Every structure is written in structure tokens, then in C-alpha cells.
Amino acid sequence: MKRFLKSRNILVIAIGLAVSGAIRMPVEQKLAEDYRERRIAAPKVSVETWNQMGQTGLAGTFGGLRSVMASILSLEAQDHFSNQEWYELKQDYDVITSLDPYNSFYWSHGGWHLAYNAASWARNRDDLKPIQRDTMEREYLEAGDAYYREGLRHIPDAYHLWGELGSLWSNRFKLPDYERALEAFKMAASFGKSPIYERRYVYLLAQIPGREIEGYFEARKLLEQDPSHLRLPSFRAILYALWTNPRLPLSEDRPEILKIFRSEEEAYRNLYNYRLRSEEEGYFRGSIDDTLRILANKLDVPPDWIPFLVNSRYRIPKDFRSKRNVLPHSRSGNPYFQGEE
Amino acid sequence: MSDRPETSFFSPRRAGIIALSTVTQLVRMKVFYFLAPIALLFVGLQFFDAFWYEGPEASQPQQELMMHKNLCLGTMMLFSSLFAIVSTALLIPGDIEDRTLYTILCKPVPRLDYLVGKLLGVISVIFVAMLVMDILMVVTLNYRTQVVSAELGEYLGAIGWGEEEVRQGQAEVASHGPSLILQYGVLAHFFKASIIAAVALLISTFSTSTLFTIASSVMIWIIGAVQSLAREGLFTKGEYGVEPGMVDRILGTIISLVFPDFQLFESVSDGAARVMEIGMFDMLHLGGLTFFYIAIYTVLSWFVFSDKEF
């Protein structure tokens, strides 16, 4: 009798669970899909990533502890970075981003490791032939790019990931791809959350030969939207340089220095520094040399700070007209990143 | 004909009395002492620069708060789930051992009342424990939000941001502080713990040892966390568009039908920590699902328990 009761109980429990399971299963599936669509639930984890997770995966399945696990794993990834083990590092970040897919930091950091650190490591591999080095570097750059984009797929409003993509492809020490960079900066700017990316879009246009007129109109548009952009020396100088483009339509009036800069001294300083940057970074120079000549005469600028007389690579000091401010040592090739501005 | 008044099928009053005595029984087991280390953890974390607060992943102020919320919610989830399993597993064997069960069942108390009362007692204790942990979390989170907001204001002011921009930044930080959405996350964990208690109750009705009940319930808890993988295999195509094989389908169906899905509750809690848009309707859905689970497990428990001989 006892055995019969036991078997009967098991059978009833099994039937009860099966029937209730059949009722709730479609409801749960619908809820799960709804949560995933609304980004409440984490996206599906690929089989490959599950395999990589190992025991961490089990801990990762418990909500709440995922981000802490991701944080701990990111320490492990740091070890792989120190040992330049890029494959392992990527695997770590695959797991980290699966555990905490809505934390943009990990996508950003994973992309940065691949596109900057791993790519630079590849470039410096003297044991490889140049073509192998280039291929490897490009592969890492693309892997970093893919990482940023995957992050954006998970967190479409992480506009700074677009910004990082823009920085990557406009980086002149890497393998610049201006079209990609422009697209990325435009996307970052389109969120309207950070004026930095709106300006970077204009700055980049000023760096690409043939796109200067477009850059000018974009800069004017920004200025109309928010005149506070003028508080930035780079923006002032780039706007001025783009405005002095002789190929601008005649309908565009010539710029007035004091409409852009607060004083002629400031104009001289900003344009002087911008000229240095344009030599290094290929910014459009327009007719700023003419303006600098006129201002140098007008302001009685010491010869040390006239770029046509002394080929200095130093940034100009604030009180450049003071006699105390002579070049630290003559005509050296020291970097110009010095002083305030 | 007997003069004895007929015992009703189910009496909420009787179940309530048993629930109350279960609460007393659990309190006497000093279960709330467990809250002391949790309080120490939550409060203590405010004084240590734990790496997830200070590390680069917390470089954005709201990330730091999210880390804190995740840690608190994770601790609450672990505590409530483990507590639900262990306390429920101990109750019926405990009643048999100290013979309370005979005293109760020899009176006109239907077994359903006994089971519902026991379950309600456990759920009430879990509720009180989670309420205390929730208050601790809200207090510490509020403190941390204020610290982070002040630091952010100071920093943004120092780099020349305008007052309006600083205010916006601080509002963004404040949105990650204590909120109703966060309470939904706590509620999701409470729902989950209640289901786990009902599962443990079902197992304890036919199990012959406490150890078996605890081990089986823990297994179900773990399987419940990944059950959704099996179910999704039935409803969606595989990763490379490959349909699952027959064996996978059968296994997936069995797992999906038999085991509860806890991932939904985890998702809501995770989403609450990230301040996603979780509304009252979502909680009603989850609440309905919880009620369904508890009802099924209780009915099945009652079925097994109804003709159990002691």
C-alpha cells in the first residue's frame, strides 16, 4: 500500500508539474522576450562564451552578483594585459561583457585594450616582417572596433562609445580612417548629450583635405546653436581658419577678429598655437599666416614668438609680449605641449 | 449523527495562527542573528575602498552606485533563498521530532491549513528579514549617493562646468540612488524566495531526511537560474539557425516543465539596479506568476501530505 501511495504521489506530482509547466511556459517565454527587448534582461549568451565562463558562469547566473564577478574578472584581465596575452585578454573581456553586458565601461575598456594596446604591440613586433606586422595591427584595430560596436549594439545610448570609435579612427598614430571617424563622431554628436563630439566632428572635417568648406558650415551651425563654443581656444582658431578659406562662397562675409576672439592678443596666441598644431596634425590653415603677420606688427610681438622668424615648437605663453618670456632655449625640437591654455 | 461542528476545508484564521506560531518558532531559532553580519557588510563597505567602488569600472559615478546596489541585492538574494530552503526544510521534520505535529493534527486542523500556515510563516519571516536588509540598503545607498553627488559637483565645478550642467550631472547620479524601481528589485527577490520556500515545502512532504530536502531544493534553485536556457531552446532557433535535436528537445521540455524559471526574477532585480523602466504592471505579472507557482506547489504538497502517515 505504501509503495502504491509513493508511486501514485510521484505520478501526480509529475502530472501536476507538467500541466502547470505547460500553462506557464508560453507566459514565461513571452515575459522573457519582453524583458530582453526592453533591456531589463541580459541578452542571450553564446555557447562559446558559456564554455569560456566555466565555473564563473554558474556564479554569473545568479543576479546581483554578476557585476561583482565581472569586476573580479577584470582584475584577471589586467594580468593578461600586463603579460601581453591578448588572446586570453579578449576571452576575459568576452566573459566580462557577458556577465555585465550593460556596463559600457567594459566594452570601452575591452575595445581600448585591443585597438590601442594590442595593436601597438603588434606594430612593435620587430621579429615579424612589415607586412605581417601591418596585418596584425589592422586585425587588432578591427577587433577593437568590433568591440566598441558590439557594446553599442547592447547599449545603443552609450554615445561615448561612438566617440571612442571616432577617436580611434582619427588617431594619426594609428591607421586613420577619416570616413569611419566622421561617421562615429556624427553618431556621438547626434545624441546631443556632449558638445565635445559635435566639436570633434568639426575639428576632424578641418583635418581632411577637401572637406574644409563643409567644416566651416558645420562650425557656423554649432556657433548658432550655442555661442559658448567660443570659450574654447581650439574652436575659435579652427573656426577662424575655416572662415578665412578663399574658396568659401562670396555670400559668406569675412570674419572679424574681435567677433571670434576677445582681444587681439588672444587671437595671436590662439592662432600661433593653432599653427603649431596644424603643422603636426594637418589642420586646415586658411589664411591665418596673413592674420598672424598683421597682428605681429600691430602688437609689436617679440621675434621669439613670430613663427616666420623663429621656428619654435613651444606653445606661446600668455604674456608673450613681456621681455621675460623668451624661448627657454633656442630652436630646440622640444614638444610644444607646454604652458597653459 | 455527530454533534461536532464540521471543519471547513480551509480556514485562513487557522492558517494564520499556524503561521504566527511558525514565526515564533523561527525567531526562537535565532534566524535574525544572520542579519548582523549582513548589516556589518552593508555598513562596513561604506568605510572601505573596495575595488569595485574605486576601480576603473566605477569611473562613472552612477557605476559606483550600481555596484553598491548589485552587491546589496545579491546578498539579499543569497540570504533569502538559502533561508527559504533551510527553514522550510527544517520545519516539518522539526515538528515531527518535537511531536508538535501530532498535537496539531489530532485537532480538527486540515492538513492544508497546516501546510499553508507553515509556508506563510516562513514567507513572513523572509519578508521581515528582507525589509530590514532593504532599510539597510536604502540608508547606505542614500549616504553613498550623497557622497558621490557632492564629489561630482565639486569636480565639475573645478573643471569649469556651469551650474545647470552640474545640476544635471547630480540629478543623473540621484536617479541611481534609492527609488521605487529599486524596491521592485527587492520585491522580485522576495517573490523568488517565496517560490523556493514552496518548492522546499513540496520536497519536505515526501522526503525522509532534511539533508535530502535541502540538497534537492538547492539543486532546483540552481537549475531554476538556468532553466530559461532550456526553454528558449524550444521557442527559438539555435545560435547558427540550427534546430535542436530530438534528445535536446525532450530534455529541454522536461526541464522547462518541471523546474521553475528564476531568471525572470533575477532579470527584474538586475534591471532595477540599472534603473531600467520597470513598472507596476511588470510587478503584477511577476506577482501573478509567483502566486501561480506557490499555489501549484502547495496543492501538490497537500496532495502528498494529505495521506502521509506519521
Side-chain angles (χ1 to χ4, degrees):
Chain A
M1 183 65 185
K2 215 170 179 180
R3 186 171 287 178
F4 166 75
L5 279 177
K6 222 171 189 177
S7 314
R8 189 203 65 177
N9 286 346
I10 290 170
L11 194 70
V12 169
I13 290 175
I15 292 171
L17 289 178
V19 171
S20 64
I23 296 168
R24 65 175 163 76
M25 223 162 68
V27 178
E28 286 178 338
Q29 180 62 21
K30 212 174 149 195
L31 268 182
E33 279 166 17
D34 177 45
Y35 288 170
R36 192 161 289 155
E37 206 176 296
R38 290 159 59 199
R39 294 204 287 139
I40 292 173
K44 256 182 168 177
V45 175
S46 70
V47 177
E48 210 176 313
T49 312
W50 271 111
N51 290 338
Q52 284 166 20
M53 276 190 194
Q55 290 172 1
T56 321
L58 190 62
T61 54
F62 295 111
L65 298 178
R66 286 198 192 97
S67 51
V68 177
M69 285 306 299
S71 183
I72 292 168
L73 264 180
S74 74
L75 291 179
E76 197 180 304
Q78 185 66 22
D79 272 355
H80 292 309
F81 163 54
S82 307
N83 299 330
Q84 300 180 329
E85 295 158 348
W86 308 113
Y87 177 74
E88 288 80 3
L89 180 125
K90 187 177 178 301
Q91 278 194 324
D92 276 352
Y93 271 93
D94 286 345
V95 174
I96 291 167
T97 49
S98 299
L99 287 172
D100 200 358
Y102 298 121
N103 188 340
S104 63
F105 169 79
Y106 294 126
W107 294 109
S108 156
H109 220 57
W112 171 71
H113 272 309
L114 293 169
Y116 287 83
N117 299 326
S120 301
W121 169 83
R123 181 181 277 198
N124 294 315
R125 284 281 301 267
D126 294 333
D127 54 323
L128 297 178
K129 288 177 187 164
I131 189 157
Q132 286 175 315
R133 278 204 298 260
D134 287 353
T135 310
M136 198 185 257
E137 184 186 4
R138 172 133 327 253
E139 274 173 10
Y140 279 124
L141 280 172
E142 293 293 350
D145 176 281
Y147 230 80
Y148 288 128
R149 286 179 197 272
E150 188 63 12
L152 281 161
R153 204 173 63 75
H154 285 91
I155 326 165
D157 50 355
Y159 62 92
H160 63 92
L161 289 179
W162 280 117
E164 283 168 45
L165 265 174
S167 303
L168 171 66
W169 293 116
S170 61
N171 191 322
R172 66 201 162 93
F173 298 110
K174 300 261 158 215
L175 302 172
D177 183 335
Y178 289 135
E179 283 310 316
R180 273 208 244 188
L182 278 176
E183 181 224 345
F185 281 137
K186 195 167 193 170
M187 287 301 295
S190 69
F191 287 83
K193 285 188 175 171
S194 174
I196 291 171
Y197 299 120
E198 294 171 357
R199 288 194 292 269
R200 299 259 337 237
Y201 181 68
V202 170
Y203 296 176
L204 187 58
L205 282 173
Q207 274 179 298
I208 307 173
R211 306 286 294 263
E212 301 89 0
I213 295 179
E214 190 186 340
Y216 164 76
F217 284 110
E218 288 292 334
R220 286 295 299 263
K221 201 164 84 186
L222 279 192
L223 193 61
E224 275 159 30
Q225 282 165 2
D226 182 8
S228 74
H229 287 295
L230 276 184
R231 70 192 151 89
L232 294 156
S234 298
F235 186 82
R236 289 196 292 261
I238 286 176
L239 173 69
Y240 185 82
L242 291 169
W243 211 331
T244 59
N245 187 352
R247 283 167 44 227
L248 280 182
L250 287 173
S251 56
E252 295 301 311
D253 50 345
R254 296 298 99 184
E256 280 179 36
I257 284 182
L258 292 179
K259 261 190 179 173
I260 297 175
F261 304 95
R262 280 168 293 195
S263 63
E264 287 180 332
E265 280 86 353
E266 185 184 76
Y268 190 80
R269 262 190 294 122
N270 290 170
L271 293 175
Y272 181 96
N273 289 335
Y274 177 69
R275 192 177 182 279
L276 281 180
R277 277 186 76 181
S278 71
E279 278 173 4
E280 292 278 339
E281 299 171 34
Y283 280 106
F284 179 69
R285 213 186 276 186
S287 320
I288 63 163
D289 282 359
D290 297 340
T291 311
L292 280 170
R293 272 194 195 96
I294 294 166
L295 287 174
N297 277 335
K298 205 169 171 184
L299 299 171
D300 196 18
V301 177
D304 263 4
W305 300 113
I306 298 177
F308 318 107
L309 301 179
V310 177
N311 187 20
S312 156
R313 293 173 62 80
Y314 283 94
R315 289 181 72 168
I316 194 166
K318 225 167 189 175
D319 50 347
F320 60 92
R321 292 164 77 188
S322 154
K323 289 216 165 58
R324 286 179 290 112
N325 271 315
V326 290
L327 277 171
H329 50 87
S330 59
R331 292 98 177 117
S332 74
N334 280 329
Y336 59 84
F337 298 105
Q338 198 189 342
E340 296 288 314
E341 186 109 357
Chain B
M1 274 194 38
S2 166
D3 289 340
R4 275 172 60 189
E6 228 176 77
T7 311
S8 59
F9 170 70
F10 175 72
S11 155
R13 192 169 162 269
R14 276 195 304 261
I17 291 167
I18 295 171
L20 214 63
S21 76
T22 309
V23 172
T24 316
Q25 196 180 350
L26 287 170
V27 172
R28 282 184 187 149
M29 286 179 182
K30 299 182 173 53
V31 288
F32 287 123
Y33 282 22
F34 199 87
L35 290 172
I38 288 177
L40 271 177
L41 176 76
F42 285 10
V43 177
L45 277 171
Q46 307 312 310
F47 301 100
F48 294 106
D49 292 338
F51 63 89
W52 51 81
Y53 292 145
E54 296 298 314
E57 54 270 65
S59 53
Q60 291 169 318
Q62 52 270 42
Q63 294 287 3
E64 185 180 332
L65 298 177
M66 253 152 60
M67 283 287 185
H68 182 71
K69 285 187 278 187
N70 279 323
L71 194 78
C72 291
L73 286 172
T75 313
M76 288 162 88
M77 182 273 294
L78 274 180
F79 168 75
S80 57
S81 303
L82 281 174
F83 179 79
I85 291 171
V86 177
S87 58
T88 317
L90 286 173
L91 280 178
I92 297 179
D95 276 4
I96 296 172
E97 205 175 299
D98 58 22
R99 311 209 168 257
T100 324
L101 186 71
Y102 307 114
T103 323
I104 297 170
L105 295 183
C106 71
K107 292 192 170 78
V109 176
R111 293 190 177 193
L112 180 63
D113 287 2
Y114 173 77
L115 288 175
V116 172
K118 284 287 163 193
L119 187 62
L120 281 180
V122 174
I123 291 175
S124 308
V125 173
I126 294 172
F127 180 80
V128 173
M130 288 199 81
L131 189 70
V132 175
M133 287 190 285
D134 187 26
I135 292 169
L136 274 170
M137 177 178 71
V138 168
V139 169
T140 52
L141 181 66
N142 187 48
Y143 164 76
R144 208 158 191 100
T145 309
Q146 281 176 4
V147 170
V148 169
S149 180
E151 279 172 2
L152 182 75
E154 213 172 288
Y155 171 72
L156 292 182
I159 60 167
W161 283 41
E163 245 175 65
E164 185 54 34
E165 288 162 316
V166 171
R167 210 171 300 126
Q168 275 176 11
Q170 286 180 322
E172 167 75 16
V173 168
S175 71
H176 285 267
S179 65
L180 181 64
I181 291 177
L182 184 61
Q183 294 309 309
Y184 289 156
V186 178
L187 195 59
H189 281 325
F190 171 67
F191 286 159
K192 183 183 157 185
S194 306
I195 297 173
I196 292 175
V199 169
L201 185 77
L202 171 61
I203 297 171
S204 71
T205 53
F206 60 81
S207 151
T208 45
S209 80
T210 310
L211 192 65
F212 175 79
T213 309
I214 294 175
S216 317
S217 304
V218 169
M219 282 316 293
I220 292 174
W221 175 33
I222 293 169
I223 295 170
V226 289
Q227 183 259 30
S228 58
L229 291 177
R231 193 195 58 234
E232 287 194 0
L234 301 172
F235 283 89
T236 53
K237 277 194 175 174
E239 213 169 301
Y240 305 104
V242 184
E243 292 281 353
M246 184 57 84
V247 179
D248 291 345
R249 276 198 165 275
I250 293 170
L251 265 176
T253 309
I254 293 171
I255 292 171
S256 314
L257 288 177
V258 173
F259 296 99
D261 176 12
F262 293 137
Q263 198 61 53
L264 290 171
F265 301 87
E266 304 284 5
S267 301
V268 168
S269 171
D270 268 1
R274 283 182 282 114
V275 203
M276 298 307 291
E277 272 179 40
I278 298 167
M280 186 60 92
F281 273 113
D282 296 312
M283 295 322 290
L284 284 175
H285 282 143
L286 270 196
L289 201 59
T290 308
F291 182 76
F292 181 75
Y293 271 118
I294 292 177
I296 292 293
Y297 292 135
T298 311
V299 168
L300 291 176
S301 308
W302 173 54
F303 180 79
V304 178
F305 198 63
S306 59
D307 43 36
K308 188 164 178 160
E309 290 167 18
F310 299 100

